Amino acid sequence: MPRNFKTLDDMGDIAGKRVLVREDLNVPMADGQVTDDTRLRATIPTVTELADKGAIVLILAHFGRPKGERNPEMSLAPLVRPYSNLLGREVRFVGDCAGEEAEEAVATLKAGDIAVLENTRFHKGEEKNDPELVDAMAKLGDFYVNDAFSAAHRAHASTEGLAHRLPAFAGRQMEAELDALDKALGNPEHPVAAVVGGAKVSTKLDVLEHLVAQVDHLIIGGGMANTFLAARGVNVGKSLCEHELTGEANGIFDAADQAGCTIHLPYDVVVAKEFAANPPSVRTVNVHEVAADEMILDVGPAAVEALADVLKTCRTLVWNGPLGAFEVPPFDAATVALAKTAAALTKEGSLVSVAGGGDTVAALNHAGVAGDFTFVSTAGGAFLEWMEGRTLPGVAALERE
Ligand code: 3PG
Ligand code: MG
């Protein structure tokens, strides 16, 4: 795909210029501590590059869903110290992202300074993409950089509106995400495999429908595989299963047939009578031998081996969602084993592997292989919408005319 967005390379001389940078600082926190700083680390290349080029770096970001109210519990202020430590630079805090207070504070900043502006979602106009808020934010900057792919599924003032109001550029993380996603599904090398797991088919129907037309192998795991097994007439016992969606599952089987996509479902599974760590009732069975009082909680080892063989024939892998209930042992085994295979194939150079979305990163971290994938997206909802084949408004707004 020809790149149709501008990057930091296209900004020219920005010394002394004010650059509004949309980042995703929406990180999990507990007791005032950041529990996963992946998204903060993802901002470092753009923020340091701009500061080193002498820009006044003004970071716009949301935190939580304060719904247009000033909610001190969702202030970005407590993030400033951990963020500053991570960057190894001083970071200032400005108590608003628009209006007089912000204008006055920004006017005191010098070339190379970095500031985090208060939660954009404290303003009602943010989620409404209100032109008045866009104008008020635009007054603070000369340029706009969107580096927040993970918020690009939102058409908000700071993610979409500003791109039309100021000269707009993709940041380094945005660039890396778009390049990786293009390699994974836009213009991938075939054969392409997709792993789609997670609890429910209902949340990923659009993803599956889109993928069967794009990929050569669709590996379905997690609770959602049970709905597909049920559609095939398998008795899934007490397993999580959306029986009302077996019609949709059959529609996906048909669409896959027509598109020449092979759907892979587990033929052996790990079951238990209760969902607990290492329960006494755990056993591995053929998928046709699940008892009425058992639940399927993971893909079985024989199926994992067969899936590993599928990956060995593929050049590209896109992964979203765990194969089993990976938070609780031993139901993490399939996810860990297949993730390790994917990581090893990636290291050998035979596979481009791209993963993203909610639990996926946690699952790959648990397997200890996130660093060995070609690319791990920082996005949750945005990754899913991209896997559905949708245009993300924050990305579309960066595209050159
Ligand atoms: C996320 O956490 O997925 C992004 O930061 C977007 O947040 P949102 O789902 O509240 O829009
Ligand atoms: Mg979200």
Side-chain angles (χ1 to χ4, degrees):
M1 182 187 75
R3 282 165 154 236
N4 54 353
F5 50 91
K6 292 187 203 168
T7 71
L8 302 196
D9 300 324
D10 304 304
M11 290 182 86
D13 182 10
I14 52 171
K17 300 282 192 219
R18 301 164 306 159
V19 182
L20 287 164
V21 187
R22 181 54 159 100
E23 293 287 3
D24 190 348
L25 305 184
N26 198 27
V27 289
M29 287 184 83
D31 304 323
Q33 305 288 322
V34 176
T35 55
D36 178 351
D37 66 1
T38 311
R39 283 181 172 169
L40 301 186
R41 281 187 279 111
T43 71
I44 295 174
T46 295
V47 169
T48 53
E49 182 175 340
L50 291 171
D52 289 345
K53 287 177 173 170
I56 297 166
V57 183
L58 306 169
I59 298 175
L60 292 171
H62 74 282
F63 191 72
R65 293 177 177 168
K67 297 266 164 249
E69 306 291 339
R70 262 191 178 266
N71 180 341
E73 280 172 25
M74 295 182 201
S75 172
L76 283 168
L79 261 182
V80 170
R81 181 162 298 277
Y83 187 51
S84 164
N85 290 341
L86 198 67
L87 279 171
R89 299 179 186 221
E90 195 186 329
V91 176
R92 294 167 198 247
F93 179 69
V94 175
D96 206 343
C97 66
E100 237 170 81
E101 179 188 343
E103 285 164 30
E104 281 166 18
V106 168
T108 68
L109 300 177
K110 299 183 303 293
D113 282 352
I114 300 167
V116 169
L117 278 48
E118 183 60 292
N119 196 340
T120 54
R121 290 187 184 171
F122 282 1
H123 288 267
K124 290 204 164 52
E126 166 69 341
E127 296 195 41
K128 294 189 183 125
N129 203 355
D130 180 350
E132 263 180 51
L133 179 62
V134 173
D135 283 347
M137 291 193 297
K139 264 174 99 172
L140 303 174
D142 305 299
F143 295 102
Y144 170 71
V145 171
N146 190 349
D147 202 27
F149 174 79
S150 49
H153 55 322
R154 310 294 182 206
H156 295 173
S158 70
T159 61
E160 204 273 350
L162 272 176
H164 300 292
R165 185 67 182 65
L166 289 174
F169 305 85
R172 297 300 181 204
Q173 177 66 18
M174 174 70 88
E175 214 185 321
E177 295 264 3
L178 295 176
D179 282 348
L181 301 187
D182 190 58
K183 272 196 209 114
L185 272 188
N187 283 295
E189 253 190 76
H190 286 265
V192 181
V195 170
V196 182
K200 290 186 164 183
V201 174
S202 47
T203 57
K204 294 190 184 169
L205 266 180
D206 292 344
V207 170
L208 297 169
E209 274 164 9
H210 181 64
L211 286 180
V212 290
Q214 310 290 319
V215 306
D216 306 287
H217 297 277
L218 177 58
I219 295 166
I220 303 179
M224 51 196 292
N226 302 335
T227 303
F228 284 85
L229 291 168
R232 284 267 156 105
V234 170
N235 191 336
V236 298
K238 267 201 321 176
S239 304
L240 177 69
C241 179
E242 291 165 286
H243 290 281
E244 69 284 5
L245 289 181
T246 50
E248 272 80 358
N250 279 320
I252 289 167
F253 280 127
D254 291 345
D257 270 353
Q258 277 174 21
C261 166
T262 307
I263 291 187
H264 299 269
L265 290 169
Y267 50 80
D268 67 338
V269 286
V270 181
V271 297
K273 290 189 178 147
E274 61 273 306
F275 181 40
N278 303 304
S281 60
V282 66
R283 60 187 198 117
T284 299
V285 294
N286 180 284
V287 81
H288 294 286
E289 289 162 3
V290 179
D293 60 348
E294 287 179 324
M295 292 177 269
I296 301 172
L297 291 167
D298 200 12
V299 171
V304 170
E305 242 179 77
L307 295 176
D309 287 340
V310 171
L311 293 193
K312 286 175 193 152
T313 68
C314 290
R315 304 289 295 162
T316 305
L317 167 67
V318 49
W319 186 317
N320 171 263
L323 291 180
F326 81 100
E327 304 90 341
V328 178
F331 311 112
D332 56 340
T335 304
V336 169
L338 198 64
K340 284 190 169 159
T341 300
L345 293 169
T346 306
K347 272 189 169 169
E348 275 169 40
S350 69
L351 192 69
V352 169
S353 53
V354 175
D359 280 350
T360 314
V361 181
L364 296 185
N365 281 331
H366 173 72
V369 298
D372 295 329
F373 270 54
T374 309
F375 190 80
V376 178
S377 175
T378 58
F383 192 85
L384 275 185
E385 289 201 21
W386 165 77
M387 277 184 104
E388 291 169 356
R390 291 192 203 218
T391 303
L392 307 186
V395 174
L398 291 177
E399 274 163 15
R400 298 181 212 226
E401 323 283 82

